[in-house]
């Protein structure tokens, strides 16, 4: 059994996933795991807030029964239809066939398509309140954060915001789900990585949703997201962090992400790092994009202001491992960054043209000239790389 009483009749009935290797088939969670947080309000009526991933269905249903005994589940609020939270809907309806499902007009077509289930739906509008046996819940639509049907639920009695993916993070909670019983700093990098990979592309919508929720903030005493910690003591910590993330506010520091085939592009990256040190930059993170899952690079890029991207040409194009990163970065956009680009080629270019197009598409701010090295960087190349590094360093926040 794995449930935790929170307060005001609210229970955490989530599960820890240490089995999945790649979240969404892309983002590694094998080292730290992830939580699928589901919640239960045990009052005059029994209300579930979201479910968990299907392969834990049996444990999930047993956990619910361990709290409510012979009572039945009356309502299931579906804040979000991504299967990490919705794929136990049928497990719930099979066990308690009269359960009423609360969602919005974009939720129900998805339930029909995903699960061929089509009854007992209660459709809510943005801002609507429902009295569920004396427990008043209010619903706010947060479209595209992270899917079109996404919404959050506010429990008026306890001041709890069930925030779905918003305010979530990677990393399973070990031992306790509560912010005050964890070192919250250990969730900082997993929160950046989660935001950059899951929310990054829709950050403008996240910003709008956070702005729309602003009038609710004074009433929020606790934030219960679908991933990561339950913020019962310091909800402002995660609220302020998400506002920072949604506004793409960057910290002091530089990320150098390079692809290399025989080490020449890496040598250019080392020269840039050396010059940055001479300019007084202390926080420098260097990644080989072929060796590091891009989620870690995206997280660092979301966080730090300076970005250098370097890659060799490859059959008139760019090495594919860098192309993947560029694809995702074009979605995430480079907003408050200062950038530099460098390439390597043996007999003809290609990477430089790909970078030029990327700069054009994203509007990346580049105070220095791109450096294109043929083979191993010679003295002239080295001076150009150092010049570019100095140009970026001069624009960095201190
Ligand atoms: Fe955790 Fe968008 O699902």
């Amino acid at each position: 059994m794995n449930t935790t009483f929170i307060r005001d009749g609210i229970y955490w009935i989530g599960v820890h996933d240490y089995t999945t290797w790649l979240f969404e088939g892309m983002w590694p969670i094998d080292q730290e795991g992830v939580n699928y947080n589901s919640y239960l309000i045990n009052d005059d009526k029994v209300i579930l807030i979201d479910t968990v991933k299907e392969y834990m269905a049996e444990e999930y249903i047993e956990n619910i029964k361990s709290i409510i005994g012979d009572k039945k589940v009356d309502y299931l609020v579906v804040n979000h239809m991504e299967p990490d939270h919705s794929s136990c809907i049928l497990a719930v309806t099979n066990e308690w066939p009269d359960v009423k499902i609360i969602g919005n007009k974009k939720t129900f077509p998805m339930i029909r398509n995903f699960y061929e289930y089509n009854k007992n739906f209660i459709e809510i509008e943005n801002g609507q309140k429902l009295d569920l046996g004396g427990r008043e819940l209010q619903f706010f639509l947060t479209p595209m954060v992270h899917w079109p049907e996404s919404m959050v639920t506010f429990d008026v009695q306890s001041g709890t915001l069930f925030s779905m993916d918003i305010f979530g993070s990677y990393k399973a909670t070990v031992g306790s789900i509560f912010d005050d019983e964890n070192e919250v700093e250990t969730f900082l990098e997993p929160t950046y990585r989660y935001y950059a990979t899951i929310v990054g592309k829709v950050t403008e919508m996240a910003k709008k949703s956070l702005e729309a929720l602003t009038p609710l903030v004074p009433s929020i005493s606790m934030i219960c997201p679908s991933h990561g910690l339950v913020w019962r003591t310091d909800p402002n910590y995660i609220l302020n962090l998400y506002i920072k993330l949604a506004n793409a506010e960057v910290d002091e520091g530089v990320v150098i992400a390079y692809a290399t085939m025989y080490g020449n592009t890496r040598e250019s990256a080392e020269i840039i790092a050396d010059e940055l040190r001479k300019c007084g930059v202390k926080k420098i993170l260097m990644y080989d994009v072929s060796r590091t899952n891009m989620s870690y690079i995206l997280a660092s890029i979301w966080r730090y202001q300076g970005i250098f991207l370097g890659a060799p040409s490859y059959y008139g194009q760019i090495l594919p491992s860098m192309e993947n990163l560029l694809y995702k970065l074009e979605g995430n956009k480079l907003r408050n960054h200062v950038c530099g680009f460098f390439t390597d080629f043996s007999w003809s270019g290609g990477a430089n043209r790909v970078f030029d197009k990327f700069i054009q598409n994203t509007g990346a701010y580049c105070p220095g000239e791109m450096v294109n090295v043929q083979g191993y960087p010679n003295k002239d190349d080295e001076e150009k790389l150092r010049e570019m590094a100095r140009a970026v360093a001069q624009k960095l926040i201190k």
Side-chain angles (χ1 to χ4, degrees):
M1 293 302 162
N2 189 17
T3 67
T4 302
F5 177 68
I6 301 177
R7 63 174 164 82
D8 292 292
I10 302 170
Y11 292 79
W12 177 84
I13 51 165
V15 295
H16 302 115
D17 182 357
Y18 293 107
T19 307
T20 300
W21 175 36
L22 295 173
F23 190 82
E24 291 190 334
M26 288 180 281
W27 320 118
I29 52 170
D30 55 325
Q31 299 291 314
E32 296 184 311
V34 72
N35 278 19
Y36 308 120
N37 295 335
S38 169
Y39 301 94
L40 183 151
I41 302 175
N42 191 18
D43 209 320
D44 287 349
K45 298 290 182 185
V46 174
I47 306 162
L48 289 183
I49 314 283
D50 293 311
T51 71
V52 300
K53 205 169 167 184
E54 188 188 15
Y55 82 104
M56 308 261 195
E58 204 173 323
E59 178 186 342
Y60 178 65
I61 296 298
E62 287 309 310
N63 285 342
I64 296 170
K65 286 181 177 173
S66 75
I67 298 167
I68 65 172
D70 292 335
K71 289 169 78 176
K72 61 185 174 61
V73 174
D74 298 290
Y75 299 98
L76 167 60
V77 177
V78 179
N79 279 326
H80 182 23
M81 274 300 294
E82 192 162 12
D84 50 335
H85 311 296
S86 75
S87 56
C88 278
I89 286 179
L90 287 186
V92 172
T93 58
N94 286 340
E95 195 68 36
W96 297 283
D98 296 329
V99 63
K100 294 184 174 56
I101 299 181
I102 299 172
N104 59 73
K105 69 177 177 194
K106 295 196 172 160
T107 312
F108 302 127
M110 288 188 181
I111 295 183
R112 285 191 280 270
N113 292 336
F114 277 49
Y115 307 118
E116 296 183 343
Y117 189 83
N118 191 28
K119 64 174 186 176
N120 293 334
F121 292 159
I122 299 176
E123 185 178 316
I124 56 85
E125 305 278 342
N126 186 38
Q128 187 178 337
K129 288 181 179 173
L130 282 183
D131 185 332
L132 305 179
R135 195 87 180 207
E136 192 173 51
L137 299 185
Q138 189 171 18
F139 307 92
F140 299 92
L141 305 188
T142 57
M144 292 316 298
V145 193
H146 131 245
W147 279 13
E149 86 305 346
S150 296
M151 64 183 206
V152 298
T153 298
F154 183 64
D155 173 35
V156 176
Q157 176 179 316
S158 64
T160 303
L161 183 68
F162 298 101
S163 62
M164 182 240 346
D165 280 353
I166 304 174
F167 307 125
S169 77
Y170 293 125
K171 186 172 161 62
T173 53
V174 179
S176 167
I177 55 167
F178 297 117
D179 56 343
D180 51 281
E181 293 176 346
N182 275 273
E183 277 185 297
V184 294
E185 292 73 23
T186 61
F187 283 81
L188 188 59
E189 194 279 337
T191 304
Y192 266 96
R193 195 162 73 92
Y194 178 83
Y195 193 93
T197 54
I198 305 298
V199 190
K201 183 159 171 51
V202 292
T203 195
E204 289 304 322
M205 298 302 284
K207 204 167 142 185
K208 280 187 186 146
S209 290
L210 289 170
E211 283 164 5
L213 291 172
T214 302
L216 193 65
V217 169
S219 311
I220 296 174
S221 65
M222 181 161 69
I223 291 178
C224 293
S226 292
H227 302 286
L229 294 167
V230 168
W231 299 87
R232 69 174 175 183
T233 301
D234 191 8
N236 283 333
Y237 178 94
I238 195 68
L239 192 62
N240 290 333
L241 177 57
Y242 256 71
I243 290 169
K244 179 179 177 180
L245 289 164
N247 285 289
E249 286 174 32
V250 283
D251 289 343
E252 182 183 353
V254 172
V255 178
I256 304 173
Y258 66 88
T260 194
M261 295 170 77
Y262 291 100
N264 292 338
T265 320
R266 179 185 300 118
E267 184 60 27
S268 294
E270 297 282 5
I271 292 166
I272 290 167
D274 182 66
E275 190 62 28
L276 290 171
R277 297 267 185 227
K278 287 181 178 147
C279 293
V281 179
K282 289 189 176 148
K283 186 81 183 180
I284 303 174
L285 296 164
M286 182 103 95
Y287 296 102
D288 179 339
V289 300
S290 303
R291 297 166 67 95
T292 311
N293 180 277
M294 81 163 92
S295 64
Y296 298 96
I297 305 170
L298 292 169
S300 293
I301 287 177
W302 201 276
R303 181 163 184 182
Y304 295 107
Q305 187 191 19
I307 312 292
F308 288 91
L309 298 176
S313 297
Y314 185 75
Y315 293 115
Q317 293 290 316
I318 197 167
L319 204 67
S321 50
M322 176 56 76
E323 195 165 23
N324 282 343
L325 179 64
L326 295 183
Y327 167 76
K328 190 65 185 165
L329 276 178
E330 216 169 298
N332 279 9
K333 297 190 174 57
L334 298 170
R335 291 173 176 77
N336 298 320
H337 294 93
V338 186
C339 308
F341 294 83
F342 56 105
T343 75
D344 207 285
F345 65 101
S346 298
W347 63 88
S348 73
N352 54 328
R353 290 189 290 276
V354 174
F355 277 145
D356 275 337
K357 194 159 176 238
F358 174 80
I359 293 165
Q360 202 180 334
N361 291 347
T362 58
Y365 171 49
C366 311
E369 290 288 314
M370 187 190 307
V371 181
N372 302 301
V373 174
Q374 185 161 21
Y376 191 81
N378 61 27
K379 277 282 167 210
D380 278 354
D381 297 323
E382 182 177 337
E383 186 39 47
K384 285 179 188 164
L385 289 162
R386 290 185 184 280
E387 202 175 306
M388 177 177 64
R390 287 193 295 272
V392 169
Q394 280 166 10
K395 300 292 179 185
L396 295 177
I397 49 174
K398 293 284 183 279

